[in-house]
Amino acid sequence: MAADVKKIGVIGAGQMGGGIAQVGATSGLEAVVYDAHPASLDKARALHEKLLNRAVEKERMTREEADAALGRISYAKSLDDLAGSDWIVEAIIEDAQIKKDLFARLAGMFTDTSVVLATNTSSISITEIATAAGDDASQARIVGMHFFNPVPIMKLVEVIPGLATSDEVVARTTALAEAMGKTPLRANDRAGFVSNRVLMPMINEAFYAWMEGVAEPEAIDGIMKLGCNFPMGPLRLADFIGLDTCEHIMNVLADGLNNDRYRACPKLKQLVTAGRLGDKTGRGVFDYSK
Ligand code: CAA
């Protein structure tokens, strides 16, 4: 356990935030998860109960351990309920301005600068988000702490310092990720970091292969699963991540790396325009309604 962290505050109860709170609680931390939408909190609570019950059934933990972990998670309807947290992880919508507004607010709320303000952004510049917090000293505690979906299963945490992030905060982030049972690996603050710099162009290329008639989605995914040992094909994975998120990350890559070869494939954009965003809307490349 990272001795200095006892309570994490997670902002956003979606797939990522809910997963981060769960992993925090199963690692022995108090976790308070905040969301502006009560329905998201209810959904997160139901998923936590389901996954921990399953862990008991599978004998990965005892009933007592599961109940204790569930008891360490609280669900907050107000940001003020995060008071007392000694670590914050933001996992809200991928919108630079909304994140900057939030970090400005967090910097004002948590005046004790030993409280680290981490962002789970998948591609937005940590340095840009940190500018909202004020001077260099205030920005020193802002760090990228990028988890992967599904958080309880995926081992990686990408640790990304911004320009002003202190070495101490990077070391504490690494220690906390390890205490949460993850493997932290460091990346620099360039668009997409490492994970999405490499993953998203591959997914985008799968959309081009589909659009150009190289193969149908089932064949594209089957070829990558059977031929490259991917657990999910790239198009299935795009639905899982969310097609709007994929498009957004491609835009961040194209703008941040100043290279149009990273622009989102028209086929991907078309599905987003049609509201077919993947698992979360029941339909994306594939249809999940049945
Ligand atoms: N939350 C928690 N646990 C989950 C889960 C979820 N959302 N989805 C599946 N699992 C669990 C299942 O319960 C199951 O556990 P049990 O041992 O208790 O049965 C286990 O994972 C395996 O699940 P399945 O047998 O149903 O299916 P699977 O073997 O195909 O595994 C998977 C599912 C783990 C999701 C696997 O397909 C996989 O690894 N896919 C790739 C995921 C990936 O690449 N994630 C990264 C996305 S990129 C990202 O997150 C960052 C970004 O910035 C965009």
Side-chain angles (χ1 to χ4, degrees), residues 15-16 22 47 51 54 58 60 121-123 146-154 195-196 199-200 231-232 237 240-241 245 249:
Q15 280 183 328
M16 299 306 292
Q22 180 186 324
L47 187 61
L51 290 173
R54 179 150 179 87
K58 289 244 164 174
R60 284 196 292 259
T121 182
S122 52
S123 60
H146 185 204
F147 291 82
F148 291 78
N149 190 20
V151 180
I153 304 281
M154 303 301 279
S195 54
N196 282 317
L199 174 66
M200 277 304 154
M232 283 174 167
L237 182 57
F240 183 64
I241 292 169
T245 304
I249 295 171

PDB file of all heavy atoms in Angstrom, residues 15-16 22 47 51 54 58 60 121-123 146-154 195-196 199-200 231-232 237 240-241 245 249, ligand 1:
ATOM      1  N   GLN A  15     -17.684   3.716 -16.923  1.00  0.00           N
ATOM      2  CA  GLN A  15     -16.901   2.464 -16.964  1.00  0.00           C
ATOM      3  C   GLN A  15     -15.547   2.639 -16.289  1.00  0.00           C
ATOM      4  O   GLN A  15     -15.101   1.793 -15.532  1.00  0.00           O
ATOM      5  CB  GLN A  15     -16.637   2.090 -18.418  1.00  0.00           C
ATOM      6  CG  GLN A  15     -17.773   1.411 -19.117  1.00  0.00           C
ATOM      7  CD  GLN A  15     -17.366   1.018 -20.536  1.00  0.00           C
ATOM      8  OE1 GLN A  15     -16.574   1.689 -21.184  1.00  0.00           O
ATOM      9  NE2 GLN A  15     -17.911  -0.058 -21.022  1.00  0.00           N
ATOM     10  N   MET A  16     -14.877   3.748 -16.604  1.00  0.00           N
ATOM     11  CA  MET A  16     -13.519   3.939 -16.099  1.00  0.00           C
ATOM     12  C   MET A  16     -13.543   4.327 -14.614  1.00  0.00           C
ATOM     13  O   MET A  16     -12.883   3.703 -13.790  1.00  0.00           O
ATOM     14  CB  MET A  16     -12.777   5.006 -16.911  1.00  0.00           C
ATOM     15  CG  MET A  16     -12.626   4.672 -18.379  1.00  0.00           C
ATOM     16  SD  MET A  16     -11.872   3.066 -18.688  1.00  0.00           S
ATOM     17  CE  MET A  16     -10.217   3.332 -18.101  1.00  0.00           C
ATOM     18  N   GLN A  22     -13.652   0.693  -7.804  1.00  0.00           N
ATOM     19  CA  GLN A  22     -13.704  -0.716  -7.392  1.00  0.00           C
ATOM     20  C   GLN A  22     -12.311  -1.258  -7.070  1.00  0.00           C
ATOM     21  O   GLN A  22     -12.098  -1.905  -6.035  1.00  0.00           O
ATOM     22  CB  GLN A  22     -14.349  -1.562  -8.497  1.00  0.00           C
ATOM     23  CG  GLN A  22     -14.434  -3.038  -8.122  1.00  0.00           C
ATOM     24  CD  GLN A  22     -14.933  -3.896  -9.267  1.00  0.00           C
ATOM     25  OE1 GLN A  22     -15.789  -3.474 -10.049  1.00  0.00           O
ATOM     26  NE2 GLN A  22     -14.409  -5.098  -9.374  1.00  0.00           N
ATOM     27  N   LEU A  47     -23.023  -2.598 -10.709  1.00  0.00           N
ATOM     28  CA  LEU A  47     -21.920  -3.337 -11.339  1.00  0.00           C
ATOM     29  C   LEU A  47     -20.895  -3.781 -10.287  1.00  0.00           C
ATOM     30  O   LEU A  47     -20.381  -4.905 -10.346  1.00  0.00           O
ATOM     31  CB  LEU A  47     -21.251  -2.474 -12.420  1.00  0.00           C
ATOM     32  CG  LEU A  47     -20.188  -3.186 -13.258  1.00  0.00           C
ATOM     33  CD1 LEU A  47     -20.788  -4.376 -14.017  1.00  0.00           C
ATOM     34  CD2 LEU A  47     -19.522  -2.230 -14.257  1.00  0.00           C
ATOM     35  N   LEU A  51     -19.905  -7.643  -9.838  1.00  0.00           N
ATOM     36  CA  LEU A  51     -18.534  -8.138 -10.075  1.00  0.00           C
ATOM     37  C   LEU A  51     -17.930  -8.730  -8.806  1.00  0.00           C
ATOM     38  O   LEU A  51     -17.205  -9.724  -8.855  1.00  0.00           O
ATOM     39  CB  LEU A  51     -17.658  -7.009 -10.632  1.00  0.00           C
ATOM     40  CG  LEU A  51     -18.007  -6.574 -12.067  1.00  0.00           C
ATOM     41  CD1 LEU A  51     -17.206  -5.340 -12.471  1.00  0.00           C
ATOM     42  CD2 LEU A  51     -17.756  -7.701 -13.073  1.00  0.00           C
ATOM     43  N   ARG A  54     -19.448 -12.066  -8.149  1.00  0.00           N
ATOM     44  CA  ARG A  54     -18.841 -13.041  -9.061  1.00  0.00           C
ATOM     45  C   ARG A  54     -17.458 -13.466  -8.547  1.00  0.00           C
ATOM     46  O   ARG A  54     -17.092 -14.642  -8.641  1.00  0.00           O
ATOM     47  CB  ARG A  54     -18.727 -12.422 -10.453  1.00  0.00           C
ATOM     48  CG  ARG A  54     -18.097 -13.314 -11.443  1.00  0.00           C
ATOM     49  CD  ARG A  54     -18.630 -13.052 -12.854  1.00  0.00           C
ATOM     50  NE  ARG A  54     -17.976 -13.935 -13.813  1.00  0.00           N
ATOM     51  CZ  ARG A  54     -18.416 -15.157 -14.091  1.00  0.00           C
ATOM     52  NH1 ARG A  54     -19.488 -15.617 -13.506  1.00  0.00           N
ATOM     53  NH2 ARG A  54     -17.771 -15.917 -14.961  1.00  0.00           N
ATOM     54  N   LYS A  58     -16.370 -17.253  -7.749  1.00  0.00           N
ATOM     55  CA  LYS A  58     -15.180 -17.844  -8.385  1.00  0.00           C
ATOM     56  C   LYS A  58     -14.060 -18.101  -7.383  1.00  0.00           C
ATOM     57  O   LYS A  58     -12.936 -18.431  -7.762  1.00  0.00           O
ATOM     58  CB  LYS A  58     -14.676 -16.901  -9.479  1.00  0.00           C
ATOM     59  CG  LYS A  58     -15.598 -16.848 -10.685  1.00  0.00           C
ATOM     60  CD  LYS A  58     -14.876 -17.387 -11.889  1.00  0.00           C
ATOM     61  CE  LYS A  58     -15.768 -17.741 -13.025  1.00  0.00           C
ATOM     62  NZ  LYS A  58     -14.953 -18.109 -14.200  1.00  0.00           N
ATOM     63  N   ARG A  60     -12.278 -16.068  -5.764  1.00  0.00           N
ATOM     64  CA  ARG A  60     -11.117 -15.167  -5.825  1.00  0.00           C
ATOM     65  C   ARG A  60     -11.051 -14.286  -4.577  1.00  0.00           C
ATOM     66  O   ARG A  60     -10.050 -13.677  -4.297  1.00  0.00           O
ATOM     67  CB  ARG A  60     -11.181 -14.298  -7.089  1.00  0.00           C
ATOM     68  CG  ARG A  60     -10.790 -15.057  -8.340  1.00  0.00           C
ATOM     69  CD  ARG A  60     -10.494 -14.114  -9.488  1.00  0.00           C
ATOM     70  NE  ARG A  60     -11.706 -13.451  -9.913  1.00  0.00           N
ATOM     71  CZ  ARG A  60     -12.419 -13.817 -10.992  1.00  0.00           C
ATOM     72  NH1 ARG A  60     -12.003 -14.800 -11.751  1.00  0.00           N
ATOM     73  NH2 ARG A  60     -13.515 -13.187 -11.317  1.00  0.00           N
ATOM     74  N   THR A 121      -7.315  10.951 -18.369  1.00  0.00           N
ATOM     75  CA  THR A 121      -7.498  11.245 -19.800  1.00  0.00           C
ATOM     76  C   THR A 121      -6.760  10.239 -20.678  1.00  0.00           C
ATOM     77  O   THR A 121      -5.661   9.785 -20.338  1.00  0.00           O
ATOM     78  CB  THR A 121      -7.028  12.673 -20.157  1.00  0.00           C
ATOM     79  OG1 THR A 121      -7.282  12.870 -21.554  1.00  0.00           O
ATOM     80  CG2 THR A 121      -5.560  12.916 -19.878  1.00  0.00           C
ATOM     81  N   SER A 122      -7.373   9.915 -21.813  1.00  0.00           N
ATOM     82  CA  SER A 122      -6.751   8.936 -22.704  1.00  0.00           C
ATOM     83  C   SER A 122      -5.850   9.596 -23.737  1.00  0.00           C
ATOM     84  O   SER A 122      -5.120   8.912 -24.425  1.00  0.00           O
ATOM     85  CB  SER A 122      -7.826   8.106 -23.404  1.00  0.00           C
ATOM     86  OG  SER A 122      -8.775   8.953 -24.002  1.00  0.00           O
ATOM     87  N   SER A 123      -5.907  10.919 -23.861  1.00  0.00           N
ATOM     88  CA  SER A 123      -5.061  11.539 -24.881  1.00  0.00           C
ATOM     89  C   SER A 123      -4.845  13.044 -24.722  1.00  0.00           C
ATOM     90  O   SER A 123      -3.960  13.596 -25.359  1.00  0.00           O
ATOM     91  CB  SER A 123      -5.651  11.274 -26.279  1.00  0.00           C
ATOM     92  OG  SER A 123      -6.946  11.820 -26.359  1.00  0.00           O
ATOM     93  N   HIS A 146      -3.430   6.867 -16.316  1.00  0.00           N
ATOM     94  CA  HIS A 146      -4.322   6.354 -17.359  1.00  0.00           C
ATOM     95  C   HIS A 146      -4.557   4.856 -17.180  1.00  0.00           C
ATOM     96  O   HIS A 146      -3.659   4.051 -17.414  1.00  0.00           O
ATOM     97  CB  HIS A 146      -3.698   6.668 -18.735  1.00  0.00           C
ATOM     98  CG  HIS A 146      -4.555   6.296 -19.890  1.00  0.00           C
ATOM     99  ND1 HIS A 146      -4.043   6.042 -21.148  1.00  0.00           N
ATOM    100  CD2 HIS A 146      -5.895   6.129 -20.014  1.00  0.00           C
ATOM    101  CE1 HIS A 146      -5.027   5.742 -21.966  1.00  0.00           C
ATOM    102  NE2 HIS A 146      -6.159   5.780 -21.310  1.00  0.00           N
ATOM    103  N   PHE A 147      -5.784   4.528 -16.747  1.00  0.00           N
ATOM    104  CA  PHE A 147      -6.195   3.133 -16.574  1.00  0.00           C
ATOM    105  C   PHE A 147      -6.807   2.626 -17.885  1.00  0.00           C
ATOM    106  O   PHE A 147      -7.144   3.406 -18.773  1.00  0.00           O
ATOM    107  CB  PHE A 147      -7.251   3.041 -15.474  1.00  0.00           C
ATOM    108  CG  PHE A 147      -6.731   3.316 -14.086  1.00  0.00           C
ATOM    109  CD1 PHE A 147      -6.581   4.620 -13.622  1.00  0.00           C
ATOM    110  CD2 PHE A 147      -6.406   2.269 -13.238  1.00  0.00           C
ATOM    111  CE1 PHE A 147      -6.115   4.876 -12.334  1.00  0.00           C
ATOM    112  CE2 PHE A 147      -5.944   2.516 -11.944  1.00  0.00           C
ATOM    113  CZ  PHE A 147      -5.801   3.820 -11.502  1.00  0.00           C
ATOM    114  N   PHE A 148      -7.018   1.305 -17.967  1.00  0.00           N
ATOM    115  CA  PHE A 148      -7.538   0.685 -19.193  1.00  0.00           C
ATOM    116  C   PHE A 148      -8.786  -0.127 -18.885  1.00  0.00           C
ATOM    117  O   PHE A 148      -8.938  -0.646 -17.777  1.00  0.00           O
ATOM    118  CB  PHE A 148      -6.425  -0.160 -19.854  1.00  0.00           C
ATOM    119  CG  PHE A 148      -5.365   0.762 -20.402  1.00  0.00           C
ATOM    120  CD1 PHE A 148      -4.438   1.342 -19.557  1.00  0.00           C
ATOM    121  CD2 PHE A 148      -5.381   1.134 -21.725  1.00  0.00           C
ATOM    122  CE1 PHE A 148      -3.523   2.269 -20.032  1.00  0.00           C
ATOM    123  CE2 PHE A 148      -4.473   2.057 -22.211  1.00  0.00           C
ATOM    124  CZ  PHE A 148      -3.532   2.619 -21.365  1.00  0.00           C
ATOM    125  N   ASN A 149      -9.649  -0.214 -19.856  1.00  0.00           N
ATOM    126  CA  ASN A 149     -10.965  -0.805 -19.697  1.00  0.00           C
ATOM    127  C   ASN A 149     -10.962  -2.273 -20.140  1.00  0.00           C
ATOM    128  O   ASN A 149     -10.482  -2.550 -21.244  1.00  0.00           O
ATOM    129  CB  ASN A 149     -11.934   0.017 -20.587  1.00  0.00           C
ATOM    130  CG  ASN A 149     -13.378  -0.322 -20.360  1.00  0.00           C
ATOM    131  OD1 ASN A 149     -13.736  -0.869 -19.332  1.00  0.00           O
ATOM    132  ND2 ASN A 149     -14.227   0.008 -21.323  1.00  0.00           N
ATOM    133  N   PRO A 150     -11.480  -3.204 -19.354  1.00  0.00           N
ATOM    134  CA  PRO A 150     -12.094  -3.076 -18.036  1.00  0.00           C
ATOM    135  C   PRO A 150     -11.030  -2.931 -16.937  1.00  0.00           C
ATOM    136  O   PRO A 150     -10.125  -3.779 -16.826  1.00  0.00           O
ATOM    137  CB  PRO A 150     -12.877  -4.362 -17.853  1.00  0.00           C
ATOM    138  CG  PRO A 150     -12.443  -5.307 -18.919  1.00  0.00           C
ATOM    139  CD  PRO A 150     -11.596  -4.585 -19.904  1.00  0.00           C
ATOM    140  N   VAL A 151     -11.196  -1.902 -16.132  1.00  0.00           N
ATOM    141  CA  VAL A 151     -10.160  -1.559 -15.140  1.00  0.00           C
ATOM    142  C   VAL A 151      -9.843  -2.720 -14.183  1.00  0.00           C
ATOM    143  O   VAL A 151      -8.672  -2.950 -13.882  1.00  0.00           O
ATOM    144  CB  VAL A 151     -10.564  -0.283 -14.352  1.00  0.00           C
ATOM    145  CG1 VAL A 151      -9.500   0.076 -13.334  1.00  0.00           C
ATOM    146  CG2 VAL A 151     -10.805   0.887 -15.298  1.00  0.00           C
ATOM    147  N   PRO A 152     -10.850  -3.480 -13.715  1.00  0.00           N
ATOM    148  CA  PRO A 152     -10.477  -4.551 -12.778  1.00  0.00           C
ATOM    149  C   PRO A 152      -9.599  -5.623 -13.415  1.00  0.00           C
ATOM    150  O   PRO A 152      -8.921  -6.372 -12.716  1.00  0.00           O
ATOM    151  CB  PRO A 152     -11.838  -5.139 -12.354  1.00  0.00           C
ATOM    152  CG  PRO A 152     -12.835  -4.074 -12.664  1.00  0.00           C
ATOM    153  CD  PRO A 152     -12.305  -3.358 -13.875  1.00  0.00           C
ATOM    154  N   ILE A 153      -9.631  -5.718 -14.749  1.00  0.00           N
ATOM    155  CA  ILE A 153      -8.910  -6.799 -15.431  1.00  0.00           C
ATOM    156  C   ILE A 153      -7.564  -6.328 -15.986  1.00  0.00           C
ATOM    157  O   ILE A 153      -6.574  -7.058 -15.935  1.00  0.00           O
ATOM    158  CB  ILE A 153      -9.750  -7.322 -16.632  1.00  0.00           C
ATOM    159  CG1 ILE A 153     -11.141  -7.761 -16.176  1.00  0.00           C
ATOM    160  CG2 ILE A 153      -9.021  -8.431 -17.392  1.00  0.00           C
ATOM    161  CD1 ILE A 153     -11.217  -9.100 -15.542  1.00  0.00           C
ATOM    162  N   MET A 154      -7.543  -5.130 -16.556  1.00  0.00           N
ATOM    163  CA  MET A 154      -6.358  -4.699 -17.306  1.00  0.00           C
ATOM    164  C   MET A 154      -5.256  -4.272 -16.336  1.00  0.00           C
ATOM    165  O   MET A 154      -5.497  -3.516 -15.398  1.00  0.00           O
ATOM    166  CB  MET A 154      -6.702  -3.546 -18.261  1.00  0.00           C
ATOM    167  CG  MET A 154      -7.823  -3.869 -19.246  1.00  0.00           C
ATOM    168  SD  MET A 154      -7.501  -5.289 -20.307  1.00  0.00           S
ATOM    169  CE  MET A 154      -6.469  -4.546 -21.533  1.00  0.00           C
ATOM    170  N   SER A 195      -0.093   4.472 -25.498  1.00  0.00           N
ATOM    171  CA  SER A 195      -1.173   3.510 -25.757  1.00  0.00           C
ATOM    172  C   SER A 195      -2.001   3.924 -26.961  1.00  0.00           C
ATOM    173  O   SER A 195      -2.177   3.149 -27.907  1.00  0.00           O
ATOM    174  CB  SER A 195      -2.058   3.371 -24.521  1.00  0.00           C
ATOM    175  OG  SER A 195      -2.514   4.649 -24.111  1.00  0.00           O
ATOM    176  N   ASN A 196      -2.512   5.152 -26.925  1.00  0.00           N
ATOM    177  CA  ASN A 196      -3.408   5.542 -28.018  1.00  0.00           C
ATOM    178  C   ASN A 196      -2.675   6.030 -29.258  1.00  0.00           C
ATOM    179  O   ASN A 196      -3.243   6.043 -30.348  1.00  0.00           O
ATOM    180  CB  ASN A 196      -4.435   6.557 -27.520  1.00  0.00           C
ATOM    181  CG  ASN A 196      -5.513   5.834 -26.738  1.00  0.00           C
ATOM    182  OD1 ASN A 196      -5.977   4.788 -27.155  1.00  0.00           O
ATOM    183  ND2 ASN A 196      -5.874   6.358 -25.584  1.00  0.00           N
ATOM    184  N   LEU A 199      -2.417   2.324 -30.564  1.00  0.00           N
ATOM    185  CA  LEU A 199      -3.678   1.585 -30.718  1.00  0.00           C
ATOM    186  C   LEU A 199      -4.641   2.252 -31.699  1.00  0.00           C
ATOM    187  O   LEU A 199      -5.226   1.588 -32.567  1.00  0.00           O
ATOM    188  CB  LEU A 199      -4.359   1.453 -29.338  1.00  0.00           C
ATOM    189  CG  LEU A 199      -5.756   0.827 -29.349  1.00  0.00           C
ATOM    190  CD1 LEU A 199      -5.697  -0.640 -29.778  1.00  0.00           C
ATOM    191  CD2 LEU A 199      -6.413   0.934 -27.970  1.00  0.00           C
ATOM    192  N   MET A 200      -4.851   3.567 -31.555  1.00  0.00           N
ATOM    193  CA  MET A 200      -5.925   4.206 -32.330  1.00  0.00           C
ATOM    194  C   MET A 200      -5.668   4.226 -33.839  1.00  0.00           C
ATOM    195  O   MET A 200      -6.602   3.981 -34.608  1.00  0.00           O
ATOM    196  CB  MET A 200      -6.190   5.630 -31.826  1.00  0.00           C
ATOM    197  CG  MET A 200      -7.090   5.669 -30.640  1.00  0.00           C
ATOM    198  SD  MET A 200      -8.664   4.834 -30.961  1.00  0.00           S
ATOM    199  CE  MET A 200      -9.063   4.376 -29.284  1.00  0.00           C
ATOM    200  N   PRO A 231      -7.278 -10.283 -28.154  1.00  0.00           N
ATOM    201  CA  PRO A 231      -8.460 -10.810 -27.461  1.00  0.00           C
ATOM    202  C   PRO A 231      -9.762 -10.354 -28.112  1.00  0.00           C
ATOM    203  O   PRO A 231     -10.762 -11.066 -28.090  1.00  0.00           O
ATOM    204  CB  PRO A 231      -8.342 -10.267 -26.040  1.00  0.00           C
ATOM    205  CG  PRO A 231      -7.331  -9.170 -26.100  1.00  0.00           C
ATOM    206  CD  PRO A 231      -6.472  -9.404 -27.301  1.00  0.00           C
ATOM    207  N   MET A 232      -9.750  -9.150 -28.679  1.00  0.00           N
ATOM    208  CA  MET A 232     -10.910  -8.631 -29.427  1.00  0.00           C
ATOM    209  C   MET A 232     -10.368  -8.087 -30.738  1.00  0.00           C
ATOM    210  O   MET A 232      -9.279  -7.511 -30.747  1.00  0.00           O
ATOM    211  CB  MET A 232     -11.499  -7.410 -28.707  1.00  0.00           C
ATOM    212  CG  MET A 232     -12.340  -7.680 -27.511  1.00  0.00           C
ATOM    213  SD  MET A 232     -12.742  -6.076 -26.765  1.00  0.00           S
ATOM    214  CE  MET A 232     -14.032  -6.581 -25.656  1.00  0.00           C
ATOM    215  N   LEU A 237     -13.263  -3.871 -30.570  1.00  0.00           N
ATOM    216  CA  LEU A 237     -12.635  -3.055 -29.517  1.00  0.00           C
ATOM    217  C   LEU A 237     -13.074  -1.591 -29.633  1.00  0.00           C
ATOM    218  O   LEU A 237     -13.312  -0.919 -28.630  1.00  0.00           O
ATOM    219  CB  LEU A 237     -11.105  -3.184 -29.605  1.00  0.00           C
ATOM    220  CG  LEU A 237     -10.288  -2.440 -28.557  1.00  0.00           C
ATOM    221  CD1 LEU A 237     -10.684  -2.851 -27.134  1.00  0.00           C
ATOM    222  CD2 LEU A 237      -8.786  -2.693 -28.750  1.00  0.00           C
ATOM    223  N   PHE A 240     -16.300  -1.250 -28.054  1.00  0.00           N
ATOM    224  CA  PHE A 240     -16.125  -1.388 -26.590  1.00  0.00           C
ATOM    225  C   PHE A 240     -15.625  -0.061 -25.997  1.00  0.00           C
ATOM    226  O   PHE A 240     -16.113   0.404 -24.965  1.00  0.00           O
ATOM    227  CB  PHE A 240     -15.114  -2.524 -26.366  1.00  0.00           C
ATOM    228  CG  PHE A 240     -14.833  -2.880 -24.934  1.00  0.00           C
ATOM    229  CD1 PHE A 240     -15.831  -3.387 -24.124  1.00  0.00           C
ATOM    230  CD2 PHE A 240     -13.543  -2.753 -24.413  1.00  0.00           C
ATOM    231  CE1 PHE A 240     -15.556  -3.746 -22.806  1.00  0.00           C
ATOM    232  CE2 PHE A 240     -13.266  -3.110 -23.105  1.00  0.00           C
ATOM    233  CZ  PHE A 240     -14.273  -3.609 -22.300  1.00  0.00           C
ATOM    234  N   ILE A 241     -14.686   0.567 -26.678  1.00  0.00           N
ATOM    235  CA  ILE A 241     -14.131   1.846 -26.193  1.00  0.00           C
ATOM    236  C   ILE A 241     -15.159   2.968 -26.370  1.00  0.00           C
ATOM    237  O   ILE A 241     -15.272   3.864 -25.535  1.00  0.00           O
ATOM    238  CB  ILE A 241     -12.839   2.194 -26.976  1.00  0.00           C
ATOM    239  CG1 ILE A 241     -11.717   1.203 -26.627  1.00  0.00           C
ATOM    240  CG2 ILE A 241     -12.380   3.623 -26.691  1.00  0.00           C
ATOM    241  CD1 ILE A 241     -10.495   1.301 -27.545  1.00  0.00           C
ATOM    242  N   THR A 245     -15.337   8.254 -28.656  1.00  0.00           N
ATOM    243  CA  THR A 245     -14.023   8.386 -28.004  1.00  0.00           C
ATOM    244  C   THR A 245     -12.914   8.135 -29.027  1.00  0.00           C
ATOM    245  O   THR A 245     -11.919   8.869 -29.067  1.00  0.00           O
ATOM    246  CB  THR A 245     -13.914   7.389 -26.824  1.00  0.00           C
ATOM    247  OG1 THR A 245     -15.005   7.640 -25.940  1.00  0.00           O
ATOM    248  CG2 THR A 245     -12.599   7.528 -26.076  1.00  0.00           C
ATOM    249  N   ILE A 249     -10.066  10.805 -30.029  1.00  0.00           N
ATOM    250  CA  ILE A 249      -8.625  10.556 -29.860  1.00  0.00           C
ATOM    251  C   ILE A 249      -7.895  10.772 -31.191  1.00  0.00           C
ATOM    252  O   ILE A 249      -6.804  11.354 -31.228  1.00  0.00           O
ATOM    253  CB  ILE A 249      -8.362   9.141 -29.283  1.00  0.00           C
ATOM    254  CG1 ILE A 249      -8.926   9.057 -27.860  1.00  0.00           C
ATOM    255  CG2 ILE A 249      -6.862   8.822 -29.279  1.00  0.00           C
ATOM    256  CD1 ILE A 249      -8.919   7.657 -27.252  1.00  0.00           C
TER     257      ILE A 249
HETATM  258  N1  CAA B   1     -15.500  -5.368 -15.907  1.00  0.00           N
HETATM  259  C1  CAA B   1     -14.955  -6.304 -15.117  1.00  0.00           C
HETATM  260  N2  CAA B   1     -14.693  -7.557 -15.491  1.00  0.00           N
HETATM  261  C2  CAA B   1     -14.985  -7.888 -16.762  1.00  0.00           C
HETATM  262  C3  CAA B   1     -15.543  -6.974 -17.666  1.00  0.00           C
HETATM  263  C4  CAA B   1     -15.821  -5.667 -17.183  1.00  0.00           C
HETATM  264  N3  CAA B   1     -16.344  -4.717 -17.973  1.00  0.00           N
HETATM  265  N4  CAA B   1     -15.708  -7.590 -18.848  1.00  0.00           N
HETATM  266  C5  CAA B   1     -15.271  -8.857 -18.700  1.00  0.00           C
HETATM  267  N5  CAA B   1     -14.821  -9.022 -17.447  1.00  0.00           N
HETATM  268  C6  CAA B   1     -14.298 -10.244 -16.862  1.00  0.00           C
HETATM  269  C7  CAA B   1     -15.322 -11.332 -16.961  1.00  0.00           C
HETATM  270  O1  CAA B   1     -16.233 -11.267 -15.868  1.00  0.00           O
HETATM  271  C8  CAA B   1     -14.465 -12.576 -16.904  1.00  0.00           C
HETATM  272  O2  CAA B   1     -14.131 -12.852 -15.580  1.00  0.00           O
HETATM  273  P1  CAA B   1     -14.393 -14.301 -14.951  1.00  0.00           P
HETATM  274  O3  CAA B   1     -13.035 -14.906 -14.881  1.00  0.00           O
HETATM  275  O4  CAA B   1     -14.981 -14.012 -13.617  1.00  0.00           O
HETATM  276  O5  CAA B   1     -15.324 -15.053 -15.845  1.00  0.00           O
HETATM  277  C9  CAA B   1     -13.165 -12.148 -17.583  1.00  0.00           C
HETATM  278  O6  CAA B   1     -13.184 -10.706 -17.635  1.00  0.00           O
HETATM  279  C10 CAA B   1     -13.102 -12.657 -18.991  1.00  0.00           C
HETATM  280  O7  CAA B   1     -14.285 -12.239 -19.643  1.00  0.00           O
HETATM  281  P2  CAA B   1     -15.028 -13.089 -20.771  1.00  0.00           P
HETATM  282  O8  CAA B   1     -14.723 -14.535 -20.576  1.00  0.00           O
HETATM  283  O9  CAA B   1     -16.448 -12.673 -20.811  1.00  0.00           O
HETATM  284  O10 CAA B   1     -14.434 -12.540 -22.121  1.00  0.00           O
HETATM  285  P3  CAA B   1     -12.956 -12.433 -22.628  1.00  0.00           P
HETATM  286  O11 CAA B   1     -12.136 -13.592 -22.228  1.00  0.00           O
HETATM  287  O12 CAA B   1     -13.067 -12.081 -24.069  1.00  0.00           O
HETATM  288  O13 CAA B   1     -12.369 -11.167 -21.867  1.00  0.00           O
HETATM  289  C11 CAA B   1     -11.877  -8.879 -22.019  1.00  0.00           C
HETATM  290  C12 CAA B   1     -12.986  -9.931 -21.929  1.00  0.00           C
HETATM  291  C13 CAA B   1     -11.046  -8.919 -20.730  1.00  0.00           C
HETATM  292  C14 CAA B   1     -12.581  -7.549 -22.111  1.00  0.00           C
HETATM  293  C15 CAA B   1     -10.970  -9.215 -23.257  1.00  0.00           C
HETATM  294  O14 CAA B   1     -11.768  -9.370 -24.398  1.00  0.00           O
HETATM  295  C16 CAA B   1      -9.939  -8.149 -23.530  1.00  0.00           C
HETATM  296  O15 CAA B   1      -8.906  -8.096 -22.918  1.00  0.00           O
HETATM  297  N6  CAA B   1     -10.245  -7.271 -24.506  1.00  0.00           N
HETATM  298  C17 CAA B   1      -9.347  -6.163 -24.868  1.00  0.00           C
HETATM  299  C18 CAA B   1      -9.552  -5.030 -23.906  1.00  0.00           C
HETATM  300  C19 CAA B   1      -8.692  -3.873 -24.226  1.00  0.00           C
HETATM  301  O16 CAA B   1      -7.911  -3.822 -25.184  1.00  0.00           O
HETATM  302  N7  CAA B   1      -8.821  -2.839 -23.407  1.00  0.00           N
HETATM  303  C20 CAA B   1      -8.116  -1.597 -23.606  1.00  0.00           C
HETATM  304  C21 CAA B   1      -8.997  -0.649 -24.298  1.00  0.00           C
HETATM  305  S1  CAA B   1      -8.199   0.883 -24.576  1.00  0.00           S
HETATM  306  C22 CAA B   1      -8.489   1.735 -23.165  1.00  0.00           C
HETATM  307  O17 CAA B   1      -9.145   1.337 -22.269  1.00  0.00           O
HETATM  308  C23 CAA B   1      -7.847   3.033 -23.037  1.00  0.00           C
HETATM  309  C24 CAA B   1      -8.170   4.113 -23.910  1.00  0.00           C
HETATM  310  O18 CAA B   1      -7.604   5.154 -23.686  1.00  0.00           O
HETATM  311  C25 CAA B   1      -9.114   4.059 -25.038  1.00  0.00           C
END
